[in-house]
Amino acid sequence: SAVRQVLRKNKFKPYKSCEVHVLFDHDHVPRETMCEWFDMNINTNPGFLKSVLFSDESPFKVKGSRNPSHQFFWADKNPRKINPCRQQGSQSVMVWLGMHNERLVGPYFFNGTVTGHSYLQLLQEKLIPDLRAAGEFPTWFQQHDARPHYSLIVRQYLDQVFPGHWIGRGGFTDWSARSPDLNPIDFAIWPILKDRVYRHEIDSLETLKRRIEEECLAFSAEELEAMFEPSNHIGVSGEIV
């Protein structure tokens, strides 16, 4: 188009912003320590990241929306398009998802607020049995520092199942606070998954859950492997590297 020609003529290039957590002064040292620990293990074993089960939770709303960075509206007048995803009272579900050895684990859904007991129940009744049934049990398990994850009953259980091999607050090595940009599920999977889930309008919680399950199955091994490419990583300072 003429607009693009003008932009290119003036050597403009398209860029996308990347949202990261605000870091405090005391966050930098723990993040650097954690990254150095990962780097040491990767240097010793180049396939180390594939031995880690990364995990995260994220809320999904029935009236959710696609990734806004992928949406553009062209018109001669402002269409005043309203995004209904923030409406009060919209049904939602908390989704747990894992990633291990170029495959997704889950998704699992929480009924209500996530607590130490409900999180432990997910581990005992769903995640661990499914991992054992699949025959690909991870060497390491990673979780972030959410309060339910730090409950005593959860830590005791992880010490039994992953003795000396789980990453998180109270584990063998800490997962630094405010570091979703270092978790491939957070910086890569969630944006893509939500973009695909909300391609079409969703009218119920059951439809939402079904769509999430279908789109998780649709990820290819090649897509998941690309999540670990250096171009997709964000540095310990919170800047893209």
Side-chain angles (χ1 to χ4, degrees):
S1 69
V3 173
R4 290 183 179 179
Q5 290 176 2
V6 172
L7 290 173
R8 289 172 180 171
K9 183 178 180 180
N10 287 276
K11 298 183 179 181
F12 280 75
K13 296 180 180 179
Y15 294 95
K16 289 183 180 179
S17 63
C18 180
E19 294 184 359
V20 298
H21 270 253
V22 174
L23 299 178
F24 299 107
D25 290 340
H26 59 270
D27 287 330
H28 294 283
V29 171
R31 280 167 63 89
E32 289 174 0
T33 301
M34 182 180 71
C35 289
E36 288 169 356
W37 181 83
F38 270 95
D39 190 53
M40 176 190 69
N41 282 281
I42 292 170
N43 287 334
T44 303
N45 173 20
F48 174 74
L49 291 178
K50 294 183 179 180
S51 71
V52 180
L53 170 56
F54 290 93
S55 71
D56 195 39
E57 295 100 2
S58 182
F60 281 69
K61 292 184 177 182
V62 170
K63 297 299 182 181
S65 65
R66 302 180 69 180
N67 188 339
S69 66
H70 295 169
Q71 297 182 17
F72 301 91
F73 301 99
W74 296 79
D76 58 349
K77 294 180 181 179
N78 187 340
R80 306 294 180 187
K81 185 171 178 63
I82 297 174
N83 186 345
C85 69
R86 296 184 182 277
Q87 71 177 37
Q88 294 184 354
S90 175
Q91 289 182 298
S92 64
V93 63
M94 183 64 75
V95 181
W96 184 99
L97 191 64
M99 178 177 173
H100 171 241
N101 194 22
E102 299 174 9
R103 73 182 184 94
L104 294 183
V105 180
Y108 303 122
F109 305 105
F110 287 98
N111 295 317
T113 303
V114 182
T115 65
H117 286 282
S118 63
Y119 183 63
L120 177 63
Q121 185 178 23
L122 181 146
L123 296 175
Q124 291 178 325
E125 299 180 7
K126 296 181 180 179
L127 175 62
I128 300 304
D130 285 355
L131 290 174
R132 287 173 173 157
E136 291 188 16
F137 205 81
T139 305
W140 291 88
F141 176 76
Q142 174 274 336
Q143 63 178 13
H144 59 80
D145 63 343
R147 183 173 296 179
H149 299 177
Y150 188 64
S151 65
L152 180 60
I153 54 176
V154 169
R155 286 181 282 135
Q156 289 176 335
Y157 182 70
L158 291 177
D159 284 338
Q160 295 173 10
V161 180
F162 296 98
H165 282 76
W166 65 275
I167 304 164
R169 189 156 59 114
F172 178 81
T173 189
D174 285 339
W175 181 263
S176 182
R178 290 170 290 279
S179 296
D181 53 307
L182 301 177
N183 184 335
I185 296 179
D186 221 313
F187 70 70
I189 298 295
W190 290 136
I192 297 173
L193 179 60
K194 291 187 177 183
D195 195 57
R196 294 175 180 178
V197 165
Y198 294 120
R199 251 180 243 172
H200 305 289
E201 186 175 348
I202 295 173
D203 57 6
S204 69
L205 200 56
E206 290 307 312
T207 301
L208 174 62
K209 290 180 180 180
R210 185 175 67 252
R211 188 77 57 77
I212 292 171
E213 291 173 335
E214 291 172 349
E215 293 300 342
C216 284
L217 289 173
F219 276 90
S220 67
E222 291 75 19
E223 283 183 293
L224 298 176
E225 183 178 14
M227 305 302 176
F228 292 108
E229 291 297 322
S231 60
N232 289 328
H233 289 180
I234 297 177
V236 296
S237 65
E239 298 178 353
I240 298 177
V241 295

